[in-house]
Amino acid sequence: MKPNKLESAAVSLILPRLNDENNAYYFYRSAYNWCNGAGFKYAAEYFKNESADELVHARGLEDYLSNWNVIPNLAAIEKPVVK
C-alpha cells in the first residue's frame, strides 16, 4: 500500500509560508537581542514572545506536512541586518 501524500501544488503553497515563519522568527530574535542589549527590556520581552509564536507557527506547518508524508525542505535564512 502506498501512503497518502499531499499534492505538490499544495506543498508549493505551504513551503514558502514555512520559510516566512522561520524568517520572522529570526527577525524577532534579532530585534529581541538588540533591544535587550540596548536596555529596552519591555520591547525585548515583546520581541521574545513574538519569536516564540513564530516557532509555533513553523512547527505547525512542519507537522502538517510531515503528517502528509512530505519532508519539508527548509530554505536558508538570511542573517537580519542590524543598524
Side-chain angles (χ1 to χ4, degrees), residues 23-65:
N23 281 327
Y25 166 75
Y26 267 67
F27 172 80
Y28 286 130
R29 281 310 285 192
S30 181
Y32 161 76
N33 290 332
W34 186 89
C35 288
N36 198 42
F40 299 124
K41 301 301 180 189
Y42 292 114
E45 190 65 24
Y46 170 80
F47 287 121
K48 180 180 175 183
N49 292 334
E50 289 299 308
S51 69
D53 284 344
E54 298 303 332
L55 278 184
V56 169
H57 303 157
R59 191 163 292 138
L61 291 171
E62 288 176 342
D63 290 346
Y64 180 78
L65 291 170

